[in-house]
Amino acid sequence: MAAPSRDDPWSVVNMVDLSPPVDCSKPYDTSTLVGKTILITGGASGLGAAFARHWAKHGSHLIIGDVNDRLGEELVAELRSMPSVSPEQVITYQHCDVTSWTDQVALFQAAVSLSPTRSLDAVVAGAGISESGNLMDSSPSATLFDRPPATIDASTPPPPLRVLAVNLTGVMYTSHLALHHLPRRPEPSSSHQEDRHLLLIASIAGLIPLPGQTEYTASKHAVMGLFRALRGTAWTTTTTAPRIRVNALCPYFVDTPILPRSAIAVLAGAGQTDLADVIDAATRLVADAGIRGRALLVGPKVRVVDGTDEALGPVRVVEGEAWRGEEERRQGVWDVYGHDYERVETFVWRYLWALNMIRTVKGWTGFVRDLVWACFYRRGTR
Ligand SMILES: NC(=O)c1ccc[n+]([C@@H]2O[C@H](COP(=O)([O-])OP(=O)(O)OC[C@H]3O[C@@H](n4cnc5c(N)ncnc54)[C@H](O)[C@@H]3O)[C@@H](O)[C@H]2O)c1
């Protein structure tokens, strides 16, 4: 049984409002960034700061939250001094520990009140940390999840799970607040864009395991789970306000402060990701309102050749000799779940069909019997 096409009215792809896989060779329009109010968590350093520099140049208003106040204030001063940034642009920093619900509520409230339209256009959940130490490291300062203390008894504290707190709980708080604030309409008098976007910063560790970064890998896999769930439902938050798009970015290693020295050492001789590619992929996702529910992996450029797949038709496949060869045959950005809904659709469709069939066979008698049982007799499995 062939997977239903996008033209099929029963297609799950259409039901979840998923756009086609992203073709990163196509240009996109950055003029949509002008006047957008964008909130970035973890924006004082690394990728978040790089996004802020780029989007400030394109006329966006930026509200940056982070725990590194020195870097946050320095970044704001730097952005304000850029000749391409106008005095009318809102560029601001506020202390925000993403693991604190009240900090995040305050950050979103500040962003809305500072925004010229009193509303948010885009949110980037970027704050993140990694585990310190490496698998050879048994020093007390190492916080690796898979290096428990030599003795554990009732007085031993639980593992701190700080990475999960920042990378998962923090991102869940950000997403929850984004779902609340993004659909709010701007003040009637303001000229506003209808696009609303939540960008989750996951990682290559959301797709494959990073040995020695167990907690980090778990947190980023969870962020991808969050992305896959939200992309199918976020747009249903409201029927009257702008729909929310949810996309994810999965960078491979980029040389920022989050990378422990051991990671840089392990990568010796291997490829690293161009920061410019990460900025470009994130900007495409934020700027192009037509991209809905997609995840982009950004890695070292590899050589690609055109091929054909029986089911998918023309495809680009990776060949050896990574990061050599002509520029136009090299690709660093990939749509991660290019065809997952089409691929799993047959299963989903059959499964739902089977569940509906059970319902039909049981009929009203079965419905009433199940209801009475649930209300009066159910005790739950013990
Ligand atoms: N650099 C890479 O190789 C790479 C690869 C894949 C994914 N990522 C992800 O990109 C995101 C940004 O990382 P980066 O590479 O820019 O590293 P970074 O360390 O430069 O930036 C992370 C930022 O998060 C902030 N932060 C940490 N804990 C926080 C908290 N509790 N509340 C608020 N802010 C907090 C830090 O102060 C810092 O400014 C992270 O989610 C990271 O997991 C990075």
Side-chain angles (χ1 to χ4, degrees):
M1 180 173 162
S5 81
R6 281 179 174 270
D7 303 328
D8 184 335
W10 294 103
S11 164
V12 176
V13 182
N14 295 332
M15 285 180 201
V16 297
D17 201 30
L18 193 71
S19 64
V22 181
D23 181 353
C24 290
S25 65
K26 292 217 169 109
Y28 57 93
D29 180 10
T30 51
S31 70
T32 58
L33 292 171
V34 178
K36 264 195 199 317
T37 300
I38 307 177
L39 181 153
I40 309 175
T41 68
S45 157
L47 303 185
F51 300 158
R53 287 187 184 97
H54 192 64
W55 299 339
K57 274 189 234 160
H58 282 90
S60 301
H61 307 288
L62 299 167
I63 289 86
I64 296 160
D66 204 295
V67 284
N68 194 326
D69 299 340
R70 184 182 58 80
L71 284 185
E73 299 293 0
E74 281 175 11
L75 178 66
V76 167
E78 177 197 327
L79 298 184
R80 287 222 180 97
S81 69
M82 285 180 359
S84 48
V85 172
S86 83
E88 285 75 43
Q89 270 174 261
V90 174
I91 309 276
T92 188
Y93 170 81
Q94 178 162 315
H95 179 93
C96 171
D97 179 345
V98 291
T99 64
S100 158
W101 171 248
T102 46
D103 273 15
Q104 288 222 48
V105 169
L107 180 69
F108 274 79
Q109 281 174 343
V112 170
S113 65
L114 288 168
S115 163
T117 59
R118 302 285 176 268
S119 70
L120 291 180
D121 298 290
V123 171
V124 179
I129 58 173
S130 59
E131 288 163 83
S132 66
N134 61 65
L135 287 175
M136 313 298 160
D137 188 353
S138 55
S139 69
S141 63
T143 59
L144 286 185
F145 176 79
D146 27 13
R147 284 291 172 270
T151 54
I152 292 187
D153 57 29
S155 64
T156 312
L161 301 184
R162 179 73 189 155
V163 176
L164 271 188
V166 175
N167 297 6
L168 180 57
T169 306
V171 171
M172 300 285 285
Y173 287 170
T174 307
S175 304
H176 194 63
L177 287 162
L179 293 178
H180 170 78
H181 283 284
L182 285 174
R184 312 276 137 189
R185 278 195 181 278
E187 284 184 347
S189 56
S190 60
S191 66
H192 64 276
Q193 305 171 9
E194 284 293 299
D195 182 34
R196 295 288 185 272
H197 184 228
L198 169 62
L199 179 61
L200 302 176
I201 308 298
S203 165
I204 184 75
L207 307 167
I208 59 170
L210 293 189
Q213 285 287 321
T214 303
E215 204 186 328
Y216 185 80
T217 298
S219 72
K220 293 298 183 178
H221 271 64
V223 170
M224 288 312 282
L226 175 68
F227 157 71
R228 297 182 79 179
L230 274 185
R231 67 175 174 161
T233 54
W235 60 272
T236 61
T237 320
T238 169
T239 49
T240 52
R243 288 180 160 198
I244 301 177
R245 303 184 287 126
V246 180
N247 293 302
L249 197 66
C250 303
Y252 184 72
F253 298 99
V254 195
D255 192 2
T256 67
I258 202 173
L259 286 192
R261 195 177 294 278
S262 55
I264 306 272
V266 167
L267 283 172
Q272 274 196 28
T273 309
D274 282 346
L275 178 61
D277 281 348
V278 185
I279 296 171
D280 189 52
T283 305
R284 179 184 291 277
L285 294 175
V286 174
D288 186 344
I291 304 178
R292 301 180 307 276
R294 310 296 340 174
L296 295 181
L297 164 68
V298 194
K301 287 193 171 67
V302 291
R303 187 165 163 229
V304 292
V305 291
D306 294 327
T308 314
D309 179 279
E310 206 176 294
L312 300 177
V315 289
R316 312 194 83 195
V317 291
V318 181
E319 252 202 1
E321 291 188 55
W323 57 88
R324 256 178 278 172
E326 322 90 74
E327 186 60 36
E328 70 273 14
R329 309 292 292 169
R330 286 155 27 119
Q331 184 173 336
V333 186
W334 304 83
D335 193 306
V336 176
Y337 297 120
H339 297 278
D340 66 335
Y341 264 108
E342 282 105 331
R343 301 288 99 193
V344 300
E345 191 152 50
T346 307
F347 167 76
V348 172
W349 185 82
R350 281 184 182 158
Y351 192 64
L352 290 179
W353 179 86
L355 292 180
N356 285 333
M357 197 50 135
I358 293 172
R359 223 183 160 82
T360 308
V361 169
K362 286 180 92 169
W364 280 106
T365 323
F367 171 75
V368 172
R369 200 175 48 223
D370 285 355
L371 201 62
V372 170
W373 175 81
C375 294
F376 301 108
Y377 297 106
R378 178 183 166 269
R379 293 184 193 285
T381 307
R382 293 196 171 87

